[in-house]
Short mmCIF file of all heavy atoms in Angstrom, two decimals:
data_model
loop_
_atom_site.label_atom_id
_atom_site.label_comp_id
_atom_site.label_asym_id
_atom_site.label_seq_id
_atom_site.Cartn_x
_atom_site.Cartn_y
_atom_site.Cartn_z
N GLY A 202 60.49 163.05 29.28
CA GLY A 202 61.05 164.37 28.87
C GLY A 202 62.52 164.44 29.22
O GLY A 202 63.14 165.54 28.93
N MET A 203 63.19 163.45 29.72
CA MET A 203 64.59 163.52 29.95
C MET A 203 65.39 162.97 28.76
O MET A 203 65.35 161.74 28.45
CB MET A 203 64.99 162.74 31.28
CG MET A 203 64.35 163.46 32.53
SD MET A 203 64.71 162.52 34.05
CE MET A 203 63.48 161.15 33.92
N GLU A 204 66.34 163.76 28.22
CA GLU A 204 67.04 163.38 27.02
C GLU A 204 68.39 162.81 27.36
O GLU A 204 69.10 163.25 28.31
CB GLU A 204 67.22 164.55 26.07
CG GLU A 204 65.90 164.84 25.28
CD GLU A 204 66.07 166.01 24.37
OE1 GLU A 204 67.24 166.01 23.68
OE2 GLU A 204 65.25 166.83 24.39
N VAL A 205 68.85 161.92 26.51
CA VAL A 205 70.23 161.35 26.59
C VAL A 205 71.15 162.49 25.99
O VAL A 205 70.76 163.03 24.98
CB VAL A 205 70.32 160.04 25.76
CG1 VAL A 205 71.77 159.54 25.64
CG2 VAL A 205 69.39 158.93 26.30
N PRO A 206 72.27 162.71 26.72
CA PRO A 206 73.26 163.74 26.21
C PRO A 206 73.58 163.46 24.64
O PRO A 206 73.87 162.40 24.37
CB PRO A 206 74.43 163.58 27.07
CG PRO A 206 73.84 163.06 28.36
CD PRO A 206 72.68 162.10 27.91
N GLU A 207 73.52 164.61 23.95
CA GLU A 207 73.72 164.50 22.50
C GLU A 207 75.06 163.83 22.10
O GLU A 207 75.05 163.00 21.18
CB GLU A 207 73.77 165.97 21.93
CG GLU A 207 73.70 166.21 20.42
CD GLU A 207 72.30 165.64 20.03
OE1 GLU A 207 71.20 165.84 20.65
OE2 GLU A 207 72.27 165.02 18.83
N VAL A 208 76.12 164.11 22.87
CA VAL A 208 77.43 163.55 22.53
C VAL A 208 77.40 161.99 22.40
O VAL A 208 78.20 161.45 21.66
CB VAL A 208 78.61 164.10 23.49
CG1 VAL A 208 78.19 163.71 24.90
CG2 VAL A 208 79.93 163.58 23.10
N LEU A 209 76.55 161.39 23.29
CA LEU A 209 76.55 159.91 23.36
C LEU A 209 75.99 159.31 22.17
O LEU A 209 76.18 158.09 21.85
CB LEU A 209 75.83 159.41 24.61
CG LEU A 209 76.49 159.80 25.96
CD1 LEU A 209 75.71 159.33 27.11
CD2 LEU A 209 77.95 159.18 26.11
N VAL A 210 75.19 160.03 21.34
CA VAL A 210 74.63 159.42 20.04
C VAL A 210 75.29 159.99 18.93
O VAL A 210 74.87 159.86 17.75
CB VAL A 210 73.04 159.77 20.10
CG1 VAL A 210 72.46 158.93 21.13
CG2 VAL A 210 72.75 161.27 20.22
N SER A 211 76.45 160.74 19.09
CA SER A 211 77.12 161.42 17.98
C SER A 211 78.00 160.50 17.19
O SER A 211 78.27 160.71 16.05
CB SER A 211 78.10 162.51 18.64
OG SER A 211 79.09 161.92 19.32
N GLY A 212 78.28 159.35 17.79
CA GLY A 212 79.21 158.31 17.11
C GLY A 212 80.67 158.79 17.11
O GLY A 212 81.52 158.08 16.59
N ASP A 213 80.99 159.91 17.71
CA ASP A 213 82.36 160.43 17.83
C ASP A 213 83.00 159.86 19.09
O ASP A 213 82.93 160.39 20.17
CB ASP A 213 82.30 161.99 17.82
CG ASP A 213 83.72 162.62 17.81
OD1 ASP A 213 84.67 161.89 18.17
OD2 ASP A 213 83.82 163.71 17.41
N HIS A 214 83.82 158.85 18.93
CA HIS A 214 84.26 158.05 20.05
C HIS A 214 85.32 158.80 20.91
O HIS A 214 85.40 158.64 22.11
CB HIS A 214 84.82 156.75 19.68
CG HIS A 214 83.79 155.88 19.18
ND1 HIS A 214 82.84 155.32 19.91
CD2 HIS A 214 83.44 155.41 17.84
CE1 HIS A 214 81.98 154.61 19.21
NE2 HIS A 214 82.32 154.66 17.87
N LYS A 215 86.04 159.78 20.27
CA LYS A 215 87.06 160.51 20.85
C LYS A 215 86.28 161.52 21.77
O LYS A 215 86.64 161.75 22.94
CB LYS A 215 87.94 161.28 19.93
CG LYS A 215 89.13 162.08 20.52
CD LYS A 215 90.18 162.35 19.56
CE LYS A 215 91.17 163.37 20.09
NZ LYS A 215 90.65 164.73 19.95
N LYS A 216 85.31 162.19 21.26
CA LYS A 216 84.50 163.22 22.00
C LYS A 216 83.83 162.47 23.21
O LYS A 216 83.78 162.99 24.29
CB LYS A 216 83.37 163.78 21.00
CG LYS A 216 83.78 165.10 20.39
CD LYS A 216 82.63 166.10 20.50
CE LYS A 216 82.95 167.42 19.89
NZ LYS A 216 82.78 167.41 18.42
N ILE A 217 83.31 161.21 22.91
CA ILE A 217 82.63 160.48 24.05
C ILE A 217 83.52 160.28 25.13
O ILE A 217 83.18 160.44 26.22
CB ILE A 217 81.93 159.22 23.42
CG1 ILE A 217 80.77 159.54 22.43
CG2 ILE A 217 81.44 158.34 24.59
CD1 ILE A 217 80.31 158.34 21.69
N ALA A 218 84.75 159.76 24.77
CA ALA A 218 85.76 159.47 25.91
C ALA A 218 86.10 160.74 26.66
O ALA A 218 86.18 160.66 27.88
CB ALA A 218 87.02 158.94 25.21
N GLU A 219 86.14 161.94 25.96
CA GLU A 219 86.48 163.19 26.73
C GLU A 219 85.32 163.52 27.61
O GLU A 219 85.59 163.91 28.73
CB GLU A 219 86.79 164.21 25.68
CG GLU A 219 88.13 164.17 24.96
CD GLU A 219 88.14 165.17 23.72
OE1 GLU A 219 87.15 165.88 23.43
OE2 GLU A 219 89.19 165.05 23.00
N TRP A 220 84.13 163.41 27.14
CA TRP A 220 82.95 163.81 27.86
C TRP A 220 82.85 162.83 29.11
O TRP A 220 82.62 163.43 30.21
CB TRP A 220 81.67 163.53 27.02
CG TRP A 220 80.38 163.90 27.75
CD1 TRP A 220 79.74 165.18 27.83
CD2 TRP A 220 79.55 162.98 28.46
NE1 TRP A 220 78.62 165.07 28.62
CE2 TRP A 220 78.45 163.73 28.91
CE3 TRP A 220 79.62 161.68 28.69
CZ2 TRP A 220 77.40 163.21 29.71
CZ3 TRP A 220 78.53 161.05 29.42
CH2 TRP A 220 77.44 161.79 29.94
N ARG A 221 83.10 161.58 29.03
CA ARG A 221 83.11 160.65 30.11
C ARG A 221 84.09 161.01 31.15
O ARG A 221 83.81 160.99 32.37
CB ARG A 221 83.23 159.20 29.66
CG ARG A 221 81.96 158.67 28.90
CD ARG A 221 82.06 157.34 28.36
NE ARG A 221 80.82 156.71 28.02
CZ ARG A 221 80.64 155.68 27.29
NH1 ARG A 221 81.76 155.06 26.79
NH2 ARG A 221 79.44 155.22 26.93
N LYS A 222 85.27 161.28 30.78
CA LYS A 222 86.34 161.71 31.66
C LYS A 222 85.98 162.95 32.44
O LYS A 222 86.01 163.00 33.67
CB LYS A 222 87.69 161.94 30.89
CG LYS A 222 88.82 162.33 31.73
CD LYS A 222 89.52 161.02 32.24
CE LYS A 222 90.54 161.42 33.43
NZ LYS A 222 91.22 160.25 33.92
N GLU A 223 85.49 163.91 31.63
CA GLU A 223 84.96 165.18 32.26
C GLU A 223 83.92 164.94 33.32
O GLU A 223 83.96 165.51 34.38
CB GLU A 223 84.49 166.11 31.11
CG GLU A 223 84.23 167.45 31.39
CD GLU A 223 85.64 168.27 31.46
OE1 GLU A 223 86.63 167.66 30.91
OE2 GLU A 223 85.58 169.34 31.93
N GLU A 224 82.92 164.12 32.97
CA GLU A 224 81.83 163.83 33.90
C GLU A 224 82.23 163.15 35.10
O GLU A 224 81.75 163.36 36.28
CB GLU A 224 80.65 163.07 33.09
CG GLU A 224 79.98 163.84 32.03
CD GLU A 224 79.15 164.97 32.60
OE1 GLU A 224 78.43 164.85 33.58
OE2 GLU A 224 79.22 166.14 31.96
N SER A 225 83.26 162.23 34.95
CA SER A 225 83.71 161.40 36.00
C SER A 225 84.36 162.43 37.02
O SER A 225 84.21 162.34 38.27
CB SER A 225 84.85 160.60 35.52
OG SER A 225 84.44 159.20 35.51
#
Side-chain angles (χ1 to χ4, degrees):
M203 296 178 283
E204 281 182 44
V205 173
E207 197 64 38
V208 60
L209 295 179
V210 293
S211 68
D213 185 336
H214 295 290
K215 187 162 169 277
K216 268 224 176 82
I217 291 170
E219 284 166 5
W220 180 85
R221 286 177 167 166
K222 182 82 193 183
E223 195 75 18
E224 291 295 315
S225 254

